[in-house]
């Protein structure tokens, strides 16, 4: 992909955490951005902080009309899409038997189906131009079971990594690359949302001092964009965790 100057990126889940940090980093490197999430007030804080051209579109990424509008508005504003950052995601905390079918299905809607369906809609334009990058923000939980009580989350992120792997194979030779970013615990609002958030956030507090910062993750993502290989560990922590837990 080379320089990010004038490249066009869609960043989902740009209202906080890793998505907001990625938006700032990509924009700082010269990319033009379409930002999306639910929280208008938070997007309206992130967007003006981005030095380059950008616009924000509020909506739910699991809504097909929102996904189509996002890609259409990106095309209209910037004339095409170079980088799709599938970052929006949710956690869920609790034992497997306490989790409900509805929780599993809604988690997979956000963590797997939205990225899959956005990629499917973005790819024809990328294929026509013969270039592009699908950047799926997965997790260390997409490679190993990194914690107890996160079965639905780990399953959804393993599915996202598996999808990324298979898509990369299908797209070999087209000029379009796929990368699965696997961060470790990162200090964001992630632990305060999703099913079981109350217990998850008090559990997360015990590890807060060991967490990466979203800015570190974003810097590591940008630094790793040109690396060979599918999996991108944005900081040393997830790489270390992977070598320790890979059998789990
Ligand atoms: N924090 C960690 O420890 C960690 C570790 C590994 C991987 N990750 C992954 O990193 C990604 C970003 O998480 P984060 O840590 O930055 O947490 P975060 O601060 O809670 O950010 C999550 C983002 O996703 C958006 N979002 C959630 N559901 C959405 C929906 N249905 N439609 C549109 N936007 C939606 C949220 O925006 P609104 O609420 O405004 O909609 C928010 O912008 C996630 O995919 C997560 O799984 C996080």
């Amino acid at each position: 992909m080379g320089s990010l100057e004038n490249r066009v990126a869609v960043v989902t889940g740009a209202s906080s955490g890793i998505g907001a940090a990625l938006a700032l980093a990509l924009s700082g490197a010269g990319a033009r951005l379409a930002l999306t999430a639910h929280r208008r007030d938070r997007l309206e804080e992130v967007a003006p902080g981005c030095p380059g051209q950008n616009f924000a579109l509020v909506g739910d990424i699991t809504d097909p009309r929102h996904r189509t509008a996002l890609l259409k508005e990106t095309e209209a504003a910037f004339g095409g899409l170079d980088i799709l950052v599938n970052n929006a995601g949710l956690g869920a905390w609790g034992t497997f038997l306490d989790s409900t079918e509805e929780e599993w299905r809604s988690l997979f809607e956000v963590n797997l189906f939205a990225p899959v369906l956005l990629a499917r809609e973005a790819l024809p334009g990328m294929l026509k131009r013969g270039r592009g990058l699908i950047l799926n923000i997965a997790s260390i939980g997409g490679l190993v079971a990194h914690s107890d009580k996160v079965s639905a989350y780990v399953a959804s992120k393993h599915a996202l990594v598996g999808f990324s792997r298979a898509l990369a194979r299908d797209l070999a030779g087209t000029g379009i690359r796929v990368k699965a970013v696997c961060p470790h615990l990162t200090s964001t609002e992630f632990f305060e949302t999703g099913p079981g958030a109350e217990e998850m956030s008090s559990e997360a507090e015990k590890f807060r001092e060991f967490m990466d910062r979203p800015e570190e993750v974003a810097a590591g993502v940008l630094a790793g964009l040109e690396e060979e290989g599918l999996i991108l560990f944005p900081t040393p922590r997830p790489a270390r965790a992977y070598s320790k837990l890979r059998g789990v």
Side-chain angles (χ1 to χ4, degrees):
M1 165 128 333
S3 162
L4 289 166
E5 195 67 48
N6 277 324
R7 297 294 192 203
V8 176
V10 162
V11 183
T12 72
S15 58
S16 62
I18 294 170
L22 274 172
L24 292 173
L26 285 164
S27 184
R32 294 173 289 165
L33 301 181
L35 309 175
T36 189
H38 286 119
R39 288 170 295 171
R40 181 182 302 279
D41 56 332
R42 299 292 295 272
L43 278 177
E44 283 173 356
E45 282 169 26
V46 175
C50 293
Q53 280 182 58
N54 66 78
F55 71 89
L57 191 67
V58 172
D60 190 320
I61 208 62
T62 67
D63 177 352
R65 287 163 308 180
H66 176 59
R67 291 194 297 264
T68 299
L70 178 65
L71 295 181
K72 280 214 166 111
E73 291 204 21
T74 304
E75 176 78 36
F78 303 129
L81 173 63
D82 298 299
I83 309 172
L84 171 61
V85 186
N86 277 317
N87 166 77
L90 275 186
W93 179 268
T95 65
F96 171 60
L97 285 180
D98 281 341
S99 63
T100 65
E101 177 178 345
E102 201 199 329
E103 283 166 9
W104 275 75
R105 290 191 185 281
S106 58
L107 203 74
F108 269 68
E109 284 294 339
V110 182
N111 290 3
L112 179 68
F113 293 123
V116 165
L117 296 169
L118 253 184
R120 199 164 70 168
E121 215 164 327
L123 269 169
M126 289 182 173
L127 285 167
K128 217 181 275 171
R129 286 147 52 105
R131 68 165 201 252
L133 172 65
I134 312 270
L135 195 59
N136 290 327
I137 311 301
S139 166
I140 184 65
L143 300 171
V144 298
H146 62 300
S147 162
D148 300 340
K149 295 193 178 178
V150 287
S151 57
Y153 182 72
V154 161
S156 71
K157 292 294 185 175
H158 270 66
L160 184 60
V161 171
F163 164 63
S164 307
R165 221 185 275 291
L167 184 64
R169 264 194 92 146
D170 280 4
L171 293 173
T174 63
I176 296 154
R177 295 185 309 130
V178 182
K179 290 194 89 65
V181 177
C182 294
H184 197 256
L185 295 179
T186 308
S187 187
T188 68
E189 295 160 40
F190 175 83
F191 307 97
E192 282 107 61
T193 54
E198 207 173 304
E199 199 185 330
M200 179 162 62
S201 60
S202 70
E203 202 57 32
E205 276 320 305
K206 299 178 195 159
F207 300 98
R208 195 63 78 172
E209 64 179 298
F210 303 110
M211 291 187 188
D212 287 321
R213 287 183 299 108
E215 297 75 20
E216 293 172 305
V217 172
V221 170
L222 261 63
L225 287 183
E226 295 303 320
E227 282 171 9
E228 288 290 313
L230 180 90
I231 303 297
L232 194 170
F233 291 123
T235 68
R237 277 200 175 102
R240 281 201 300 270
Y242 181 56
S243 52
K244 221 163 94 186
L245 296 170
R246 61 198 306 168
V248 182

